[in-house]
Amino acid sequence: MSDKKRPLRSEAWFGTADKNGFMYRSWMKNQGFPKHMFDGRPVIGICNTWSELTPCNAHFRRIADKVRQGVLEAGGFPVEFPVFSNGESNLRPTAMLTRNLASMDVEESLRGNPVDGVVLLVGCDKTTPALLMGAASCDLPTIVVSGGPMLNGKHKGQDIGSGTAVWQLSEQVKAGQISIHDFMSAEADMSRSAGTCNTMGTASTMASIAESLGTSLPHNAAIPAVDSRRYVLAQMSGNRIVEMVHEDLRLSKILTREAFENAIRVNAAIGGSTNAVVHLKAIAGRIGVDLSMEDWTRIGRGTPTIVDLQPSGRFLMEEFYYAGGLPAVLRRLGEANRLPHPDALTANGQTLWENVKDAPLYNDDVIRPLDNPLCDDGGICVLRGNLAPRGAVLKPSAATPELMNHRGRAVVFDNFDHYKARINDPELDVDANSVLVMRNCGPKGYPGMAEVGNMGLPAKLLEQGVTDMVRISDARMSGTAYGTVVLHVAPEAADGGPLAAVRDGDWIELDCESGRLHLDISEAELAARMEDVHPGTSKVLASDGGYLQLYIDHVLQADEGCDFDFLVGQRGAKVPSHSH
């Protein structure tokens, strides 16, 4: 451990015998903090996204208490503070709209307060990237504690996965396979405890990404929310953050290019969410790592998906943890020389490989051998072409192999409302070979880029037994969703992208192997159609001001991480001027 007498940020508040020091200490003492808490020990922020409106994070008060205990044990001064809790389950129109807002809340809370290091309490989808983005911009010693997944859903004697079951059962209702009563009976069965989705949705993906980046202790990703070991990990993280402050182990020493490359490889191995593409780009942009769409092709493609979890496979997060969790996946990759940078530094001061080289693996059905994968190539498929000049993405492990090389006629929906009004029209000119296209659902067109890209199929085709179709949009989809779905088309239609020029009946070609997404019309015809495209004229873009206007004016496109243009980069945590 390095010299504990190294000056700390918090001493600029609490370490002087003048008027300002008097005021800062006096005001804090009204909470009952004794004098010795201001003796120069590290002040550790516990950044809490607890909210009853964010059910995934509903147990964070207890987790925060365990972190606090760990900080005190290690000789630190814990101070808990709230930040905006952007929960996916209730927040409209989408938690992605407020991801950047939450990141600003974190950044300014850290920079403006007497904090030497921070523990980020994250869970629901956007809380993990939001808090990491804000912390990255400040570059203080930082450790992540995820809330963990909820217990397996249980319905009619079978396990059901949160999120994934909703999409499956809803399609079965439309196909006439189950009654609305059967559908509603699964509602309570699906969500049996606090915690995030128990599938490999975006929350579990980002928890796995946080662990593979090295920003958490081992096993952070998969311990169930209500398992006592989740609380042990929280307490140990409180211990460790105090040591990280003494060691000056700042986030920039962990969030290196090598760490991001490890995370891209891991995302393929676990069958992770397409949302990871947007979030990793945003986090990388804050810490100063130039991550590109090509990196996902270069590092991710060719990596087998070995975690057999819904929505790509069969099992749920409880089984993943019992099988060995993420350390077992990392060990499998490392032993096969498929871990790009095993020497990458992690939050506990050891390398990624040192943490996992002896990790136990208990179940080859859940975490499969590399020579018997769930999917031979699970790396996110990055697509380009005249329909997506700056890229689009598809998740191979959740797609239908036969549709990943496909040519079909477009059925076009101008926005989500148009889709809902039209999709179940018996007169809709659509067949199983058609390509469903939805536009004006990107960062600006549907402010926030909602998870509407996994369009439900037409009822008349579901009744015929059709279970998947190629779908293309500038939207996102839930990590719990599945299907041959092309997402994040950039630039989006509302920003002048060629998706705005597609017409009913146009032929579209999808070729995942070559990374091609092509609208089969001539360059001259496309150019002529684009002359009639006027970005920013959608009624959705008309705003009355406020945060929504800030968002529309400054949000970057999906290939750039959907951060605000003025937030990209690391601004550090220089001590601000006094308030008096």
Side-chain angles (χ1 to χ4, degrees):
M1 187 178 294
S2 60
D3 184 9
K4 292 187 178 183
K5 295 187 182 299
R6 183 178 56 82
L8 301 176
R9 264 184 103 246
S10 58
E11 292 181 29
W13 280 263
F14 301 143
T16 64
D18 58 6
K19 175 191 68 177
N20 287 306
F22 176 104
M23 289 192 296
Y24 296 130
R25 290 187 299 272
S26 178
W27 284 326
M28 289 292 285
K29 286 179 178 178
N30 77 1
Q31 301 175 78
F33 293 125
K35 179 181 178 180
H36 66 263
M37 297 303 286
F38 304 93
D39 61 5
R41 66 188 65 199
V43 177
I44 305 299
I46 303 174
C47 183
N48 199 345
T49 51
W50 172 86
S51 171
E52 288 183 331
L53 291 170
T54 305
C56 299
N57 301 9
H59 56 309
F60 277 23
R61 281 177 165 172
R62 185 177 177 195
I63 286 181
D65 285 343
K66 290 295 184 178
V67 172
R68 180 186 304 277
Q69 186 173 341
V71 172
L72 289 169
E73 285 177 344
F77 180 1
V79 286
E80 183 181 348
F81 64 97
V83 291
F84 185 85
S85 185
N86 50 334
E88 189 66 57
S89 52
N90 282 319
L91 201 59
R92 293 186 179 185
T94 168
M96 186 64 174
L97 179 67
T98 50
R99 184 200 66 176
N100 299 344
L101 176 65
S103 79
M104 295 165 71
D105 193 352
V106 174
E107 178 178 351
E108 300 308 326
S109 293
L110 292 178
R111 185 177 296 115
N113 280 296
V115 172
D116 300 307
V118 63
V119 181
L120 305 178
L121 304 191
V122 300
C124 195
D125 297 13
K126 311 307 178 293
T127 57
T128 302
L131 269 60
L132 273 171
M133 288 161 66
S137 289
C138 290
D139 194 28
L140 293 173
T142 301
I143 196 167
V144 167
V145 176
S146 299
M150 67 177 81
L151 296 175
N152 289 0
K154 299 287 184 179
H155 180 59
K156 296 184 176 179
Q158 302 293 322
D159 285 352
I160 59 170
S162 46
T164 302
V166 176
W167 319 128
Q168 292 171 337
L169 295 171
S170 178
E171 297 288 74
Q172 290 171 18
V173 170
K174 289 196 292 182
Q177 297 170 354
I178 63 173
S179 70
I180 190 66
H181 173 76
D182 291 331
F183 177 64
M184 299 305 292
S185 70
E187 186 175 298
D189 298 348
M190 188 180 76
S191 303
R192 298 175 50 238
S193 75
T196 60
C197 288
N198 52 30
T199 52
M200 188 53 76
T202 303
S204 291
T205 297
M206 293 310 298
S208 299
I209 290 291
E211 186 173 333
S212 61
L213 284 170
T215 59
S216 73
L217 296 183
H219 285 293
N220 172 72
I223 303 173
V226 295
D227 192 308
S228 60
R229 288 164 288 191
R230 174 62 58 186
Y231 299 106
V232 172
L233 182 137
Q235 187 165 333
M236 297 307 294
S237 298
N239 277 185
R240 178 58 192 156
I241 188 62
V242 177
E243 297 172 348
M244 291 173 71
V245 171
H246 291 314
E247 296 165 8
D248 194 29
L249 183 50
R250 289 173 283 114
L251 205 48
S252 59
K253 298 179 182 179
I254 296 172
L255 289 181
T256 60
R257 163 162 280 279
E258 289 76 17
F260 285 100
E261 293 187 356
N262 285 337
I264 290 173
R265 181 68 54 83
V266 166
N267 193 73
I270 64 175
S273 169
T274 49
N275 288 303
V277 180
V278 174
H279 297 323
L280 267 183
K281 173 65 178 177
I283 297 166
R286 294 294 189 93
I287 205 68
V289 172
D290 184 16
L291 202 65
S292 71
M293 298 290 283
E294 282 65 35
D295 288 325
W296 285 85
T297 300
R298 178 175 59 85
I299 302 159
R301 294 310 303 273
T303 304
T305 297
I306 60 173
V307 177
D308 194 345
L309 252 67
Q310 296 181 30
S312 300
R314 297 171 292 170
F315 299 103
L316 296 170
M317 288 296 290
E318 274 193 73
E319 284 79 22
F320 182 44
Y321 177 57
Y322 305 148
L326 196 71
V329 175
L330 292 167
R331 179 178 177 179
R332 280 239 143 112
L333 291 174
E335 289 178 339
N337 294 317
R338 302 295 292 271
L339 195 59
H341 305 285
D343 293 333
L345 183 63
T346 72
N348 68 0
Q350 299 191 102
T351 68
L352 192 62
W353 183 242
E354 286 172 335
N355 286 339
V356 306
K357 60 185 176 64
D358 298 317
L361 201 160
Y362 301 112
N363 191 326
D364 283 348
D365 290 330
V366 179
I367 303 174
R368 301 168 68 142
L370 270 77
D371 60 2
N372 182 32
L374 180 68
C375 173
D376 289 333
D377 185 355
I380 295 293
C381 179
V382 176
L383 302 160
R384 293 189 186 272
N386 66 353
L387 199 51
R390 286 168 49 182
V393 299
L394 180 145
K395 180 179 175 178
S397 64
T400 302
E402 295 77 18
L403 289 176
M404 291 174 66
N405 190 325
H406 183 78
R407 187 171 185 266
R409 289 190 178 273
V411 178
V412 181
F413 309 100
D414 285 328
N415 51 51
F416 190 45
D417 287 338
H418 187 214
Y419 157 79
K420 289 187 290 185
R422 193 181 180 208
I423 190 64
N424 290 321
D425 183 347
E427 302 303 315
L428 182 66
D429 184 11
V430 63
D431 59 34
N433 196 56
S434 299
V435 175
L436 305 183
V437 176
M438 184 167 61
R439 56 191 173 214
N440 293 310
C441 293
K444 295 184 179 182
Y446 193 129
M449 197 182 179
E451 296 179 341
V452 296
N454 57 313
M455 295 168 265
L457 306 189
K460 66 180 183 181
L461 296 185
L462 289 169
E463 291 168 358
Q464 296 170 18
V466 177
T467 58
D468 195 10
M469 297 173 67
V470 174
R471 287 156 275 181
I472 300 172
S473 76
D474 45 16
R476 298 179 302 111
M477 78 174 181
S478 168
T480 67
Y482 53 89
T484 312
V485 186
V486 177
L487 303 152
H488 308 185
V489 172
E492 64 177 306
D495 201 41
L499 202 63
V502 182
R503 296 176 181 173
D504 280 333
D506 285 344
W507 286 95
I508 293 177
E509 299 174 22
L510 167 65
D511 185 347
C512 288
E513 184 175 355
S514 65
R516 185 170 184 261
L517 185 64
H518 182 70
L519 178 63
D520 197 5
I521 61 176
S522 68
E523 290 184 18
E525 172 65 14
L526 180 57
R529 292 188 190 181
M530 292 302 294
E531 289 181 1
D532 294 327
V533 173
H534 304 289
T537 59
S538 167
K539 67 176 182 178
V540 177
L541 300 186
S543 171
D544 294 327
Y547 176 73
L548 183 62
Q549 188 65 58
L550 176 74
Y551 185 94
I552 292 168
D553 289 346
H554 292 282
V555 70
L556 299 170
Q557 288 294 289
D559 63 308
E560 300 170 306
C562 297
D563 203 356
F564 290 157
D565 51 15
F566 62 86
L567 289 178
V568 176
Q570 185 192 118
R571 288 164 286 283
K574 182 180 178 181
V575 174
S577 300
H578 286 295
S579 58
H580 293 83

